[in-house]
Amino acid sequence: MVTKGNVFDPNCPTRVILDRIGDKWTVLAVLLLRDGPLRFTELRDGIGRVAPKVLTQTLRRMERDGLITREVFAEIPPRVVYTLTPLGTSLIAPISVLSDWAENHMPAITTAQTRYDAAV
């Protein structure tokens, strides 16, 4: 029987999972994939300013973690489509809440950063 993890235990794999779902590229990929399957270039263009190598590494980790599936179609050139799994879909709600919070509080945070930087 698998027990629940403990995020405060430095040896618990929960920390690795938290790092993964807290990674900005993972967050953005989940938000883009919430509306349905996308090709690599659609993800890259939707995220913006992500190196193809970094996006490839992120997608591979997400696939390994069971968050997405990668489907290759035997075409020339090959077509690859990424889709959220049910586990990945379960991240949409919490990530959306954090994304909305960040967007709504961005002005207050940038104001606080400017005030702090001016005082230092």
Side-chain angles (χ1 to χ4, degrees):
M1 180 177 149
V2 177
T3 60
K4 182 179 174 183
N6 177 356
V7 75
F8 295 105
D9 177 354
N11 299 313
C12 183
T14 303
R15 289 208 176 178
V16 175
I17 296 166
L18 192 58
D19 283 344
R20 178 90 66 248
I21 61 174
D23 173 75
K24 68 179 171 181
W25 306 123
T26 299
V27 167
L28 295 172
V30 168
L31 290 174
L32 284 171
L33 289 168
R34 70 181 162 193
D35 294 327
L38 293 173
R39 295 179 72 169
F40 182 88
T41 53
E42 294 170 317
L43 282 165
R44 186 193 66 215
D45 294 347
I47 291 173
R49 292 191 177 175
V50 59
K53 179 182 176 182
V54 172
L55 181 57
T56 297
Q57 291 169 340
T58 299
L59 294 170
R60 284 184 183 155
R61 286 191 301 262
M62 291 175 71
E63 184 180 12
R64 181 174 184 261
D65 292 343
L67 302 177
I68 62 170
T69 58
R70 179 180 183 267
E71 187 174 5
V72 180
F73 294 88
E75 301 173 357
I76 299 175
R79 180 169 52 105
V80 179
V81 175
Y82 297 90
T83 307
L84 286 174
T85 64
L87 184 61
T89 300
S90 72
L91 277 173
I92 293 171
I95 286 176
S96 294
V97 168
L98 288 173
S99 174
D100 290 345
W101 184 92
E103 289 174 342
N104 290 327
H105 292 87
M106 181 269 306
I109 291 170
T110 55
T111 299
Q113 290 171 340
T114 302
R115 188 172 37 245
Y116 178 89
D117 293 344
V120 176

